[in-house]
Amino acid sequence: MQALIDLLRKAFDLGTFPVVVKEAMNMAGMPVGPCRRPVGPLKEEARRQLAGVLERLREAGYLPSYAELAKRRR
């Protein structure tokens, strides 16, 4: 568990705090929308890295699977 949390903690260095948190929430299936100005969007490479962290959390059972998210949207 500590290793997973460490991955998530390090992900906060991928951009400014609000954009990383909001992007992670959006990717995790909790749509909160984009950050407001002056905060810009997360860079594409940072998005890929964040997606990798969230996928590890998903594989460990700490986030819902994509199939579960699709069911929720119906």
Side-chain angles (χ1 to χ4, degrees):
M1 182 66 166
Q2 185 65 33
L4 290 171
I5 289 174
D6 191 48
L7 287 173
L8 188 58
R9 185 189 57 76
K10 288 178 181 175
F12 290 133
D13 292 334
L14 295 173
T16 63
F17 183 76
V19 75
V20 173
V21 171
K22 290 188 91 170
E23 190 65 42
M25 291 178 72
N26 286 323
M27 290 177 171
M30 296 175 271
V32 294
C35 282
R36 296 175 65 178
R37 287 182 178 174
V39 177
L42 202 56
K43 293 181 180 180
E44 192 55 38
E45 177 58 29
R47 281 187 95 254
R48 279 193 290 277
Q49 290 177 18
L50 181 58
V53 170
L54 295 178
E55 186 57 34
R56 296 271 308 270
L57 292 171
R58 212 172 250 113
E59 289 169 357
Y62 293 102
L63 287 177
S65 69
Y66 292 111
E68 291 173 289
L69 291 173
K71 285 180 188 176
R72 291 180 187 180
R73 290 186 183 124
R74 291 182 193 159

